[in-house]
Amino acid sequence: MSFKIPYGKQCISEEDTSAVIEALHSDFLTQGPKILEFEKNFAAYIGSKFAVAVSNGTAALHLPLLAIGLKSGDRIITTPITFAASANAARYCGAEVYFADIDSDTYVISIDSVKALLQKHPKGFFKAIVPVDFTGYPVNLEEIKKLANEYGLFVLEDACHSPGGYFKDSKGVNQNCGNGVYAEAAAFSFHPVKHIASGEGGMITTNNEGLYKKLMMLRTHGITKENMLLDFPEADKQGLWYYEMQELGYNYRITDIQAALANSQLKRAEQGIKKRQEIAAKYRTAFANTKIKMQAEHTNHFNAYHLFVIEVDTRKELYDFLKENGIFAQIHYVPVHLMPYYKQFGWKEGDFPNAEAYYKRCISLPMYPTLTNEEQEHVINKVKQFINIL
Ligand SMILES: Cc1ncc(COP(=O)(O)O)c(C=O)c1O
């Protein structure tokens, strides 16, 4: 039996296909009712008051920072172990990106590193923080929010990996990733490897109505038909066609075709999370008491398992060995501060020892709901075979 197993993959059902076909035959390919329907359902799933669908997860990170007026001369904090977009969003606004090291066991931004970074600078030095629920492991946003309140930071949760994840706060309440209780806004991605796939697509969730209205406007060029200024020649003679561009926004719209697909996928989100938990549990049992290190588990943090990461001493060799056996593992991520683009700002090797040590050893094993038992067995056997060889 020959295998070809990716690290992540979308799952498209007959229902999904029908939903897309229906959208294709409807009156609207974009700017139609499917978008609002998806936004409402997604907000209900996450538990936020508002949701704004956008063209991708990167746009979902960019718009909230734009909305708060982040600009050249401002600074934000994020983690080096993330996809470049978490940092790039601030660069699009002209702001500088600072990094705080990760926790070596959970792999998400370390609260102590954030605290140390904040204490090194005067209050007001940083405008925002972008914590990332890396792999689907929810950052303790209650802790982040305490610091944010003390230092005046806007909290934008990068929840691209974590729809369906939650952490238990100090009151014992489960707080869903992206629900807006401890962060002003959160960003999600619907790239095919993510929990919900729409090809390209993203979502911003927030509980702040003012921010929501601004995001809706910025998503479509800064154009609005609400609260118009009407500072226009013969304003009283303008009809229903009239609109105003009040700010410089973007075309970050999602299409109705994508929203229809994502909305249909959302119906299976819970099922997908359950399957991801089962796959993770099986990996954990298989690799317990071996020299493989796995991401920490905490009863207060429910991991949505976008990724299943392990650490080994001989990562490159394992990666190559798995590839020879039809298993296409992946590395998440090359640390952002060591990207040539970010090095120009002075970041260098040695700046974030935990992140760099993690990067040398990490590898993401296949994790997606349609991974079969037989395929997972093959992955487990090959990893074990490799570990025993050495
Ligand atoms: C943590 C994280 N943030 C942001 C993004 C950007 O999302 P998108 O690819 O939809 O723009 C991704 C996607 O890979 C991601 O993994």
Side-chain angles (χ1 to χ4, degrees):
M1 169 103 193
S2 82
F3 288 94
K4 196 165 179 247
I5 312 174
Y7 83 91
K9 187 164 90 173
Q10 74 274 17
C11 158
I12 305 292
S13 70
E14 291 288 326
E15 261 197 340
D16 294 345
T17 316
S18 305
V20 170
I21 291 172
E22 191 197 311
L24 282 171
H25 290 298
S26 74
D27 289 341
F28 297 92
L29 294 187
T30 191
Q31 293 177 282
K34 291 286 169 206
I35 297 168
L36 189 61
E37 191 184 331
F38 178 42
E39 287 171 340
K40 282 195 169 145
N41 290 339
F42 192 82
Y45 175 61
I46 293 298
S48 67
K49 282 197 187 139
F50 306 101
V52 179
V54 289
S55 49
N56 53 60
T58 307
L61 287 162
H62 181 195
L63 283 191
L65 297 179
L66 191 70
I68 61 161
L70 195 79
K71 59 184 187 317
S72 174
D74 291 341
R75 303 168 199 90
I76 69 115
I77 301 169
T78 192
T79 166
I81 298 299
T82 185
F83 185 58
S86 319
N88 293 353
R91 292 294 306 137
Y92 299 155
C93 301
E96 276 179 68
V97 177
Y98 281 62
F99 300 93
D101 210 348
I102 61 162
D103 176 274
S104 296
D105 295 323
T106 61
Y107 311 147
V108 297
I109 201 163
S110 144
I111 306 283
D112 288 341
S113 308
V114 173
K115 208 180 279 177
L117 180 60
L118 289 169
Q119 283 168 353
K120 256 204 262 171
H121 298 280
K123 281 190 182 166
F125 189 83
F126 294 105
K127 283 276 178 338
I129 182 163
V130 184
V132 181
D133 301 320
F134 173 64
T135 76
Y137 187 97
V139 171
N140 187 330
L141 288 180
E142 190 179 17
E143 295 289 323
I144 296 275
K145 187 66 183 163
K146 268 187 220 151
L147 291 172
N149 286 344
E150 194 181 339
Y151 288 87
L153 306 176
F154 176 84
V155 183
L156 170 60
E157 178 184 8
D158 183 335
C160 288
H161 293 188
S162 63
Y166 57 84
F167 76 99
K168 207 181 273 300
D169 70 10
S170 60
K171 295 182 201 96
V173 178
N174 289 340
Q175 301 291 354
N176 288 351
C177 294
N179 74 358
V181 169
Y182 294 110
E184 277 78 20
F188 294 88
S189 162
F190 307 125
H191 179 275
V193 293
K194 303 294 197 299
H195 294 70
I196 294 163
S198 65
E200 298 285 350
M203 189 73 85
I204 307 157
T205 52
T206 182
N207 291 339
N208 179 325
E209 190 169 4
L211 180 60
Y212 165 70
K213 286 191 171 157
K214 193 144 195 193
L215 292 169
M216 290 293 275
M217 190 163 90
L218 290 174
R219 166 177 82 176
T220 181
H221 304 277
I223 287 174
T224 185
K225 285 189 168 205
E226 274 180 36
N227 299 322
M228 290 195 281
L229 304 172
L230 297 174
D231 176 18
F232 194 80
E234 299 189 321
D236 56 326
K237 295 208 174 109
Q238 305 310 309
L240 278 179
W241 68 82
Y242 182 75
Y243 61 83
E244 286 180 354
M245 183 193 139
Q246 296 182 347
E247 298 211 25
L248 183 62
Y250 290 77
N251 178 355
Y252 276 168
R253 295 188 300 260
I254 195 169
T255 64
D256 276 55
I257 308 163
Q258 292 164 317
L261 175 55
N263 204 23
S264 176
Q265 294 245 316
L266 181 61
K267 293 183 189 144
R268 298 195 307 281
E270 277 304 329
Q271 206 180 310
I273 290 278
K274 207 166 152 259
K275 192 71 214 294
R276 286 171 186 273
Q277 294 292 324
E278 285 166 19
I279 294 168
K282 203 161 165 189
Y283 278 138
R284 287 190 179 276
T285 307
F287 303 141
N289 308 314
T290 67
K291 47 185 164 175
I292 292 170
K293 180 177 169 187
M294 290 180 276
Q295 187 178 23
E297 278 188 298
H298 285 294
T299 44
N300 287 352
H301 294 252
F302 182 85
N303 195 330
Y305 283 117
H306 159 52
L307 300 173
F308 192 87
V309 175
I310 60 171
E311 282 186 71
V312 291
D313 294 335
T314 46
R315 187 269 307 278
K316 165 85 167 65
E317 291 80 355
L318 175 60
Y319 175 89
D320 292 341
F321 178 76
L322 292 179
K323 194 157 167 273
E324 281 159 27
N325 286 284
I327 301 160
F328 299 86
Q330 189 52 280
I331 307 305
H332 297 95
Y333 288 98
V334 180
V336 181
H337 71 287
L338 297 180
M339 291 288 166
Y341 174 78
Y342 281 98
K343 276 163 83 176
Q344 72 175 306
F345 302 108
W347 303 108
K348 57 185 185 319
E349 198 173 355
D351 282 346
F352 304 104
N354 295 352
E356 292 164 25
Y358 159 82
Y359 168 66
K360 289 190 179 126
R361 293 164 47 85
C362 69
I363 180 163
S364 305
L365 298 180
M367 167 58 86
Y368 49 92
T370 52
L371 183 72
T372 65
N373 279 337
E374 191 189 17
E375 287 168 332
Q376 195 181 4
E377 283 301 325
H378 177 65
V379 176
I380 289 170
N381 289 341
K382 288 298 158 191
V383 172
K384 279 188 157 173
Q385 186 185 336
F386 178 80
I387 296 297
N388 291 337
I389 287 170
L390 295 176

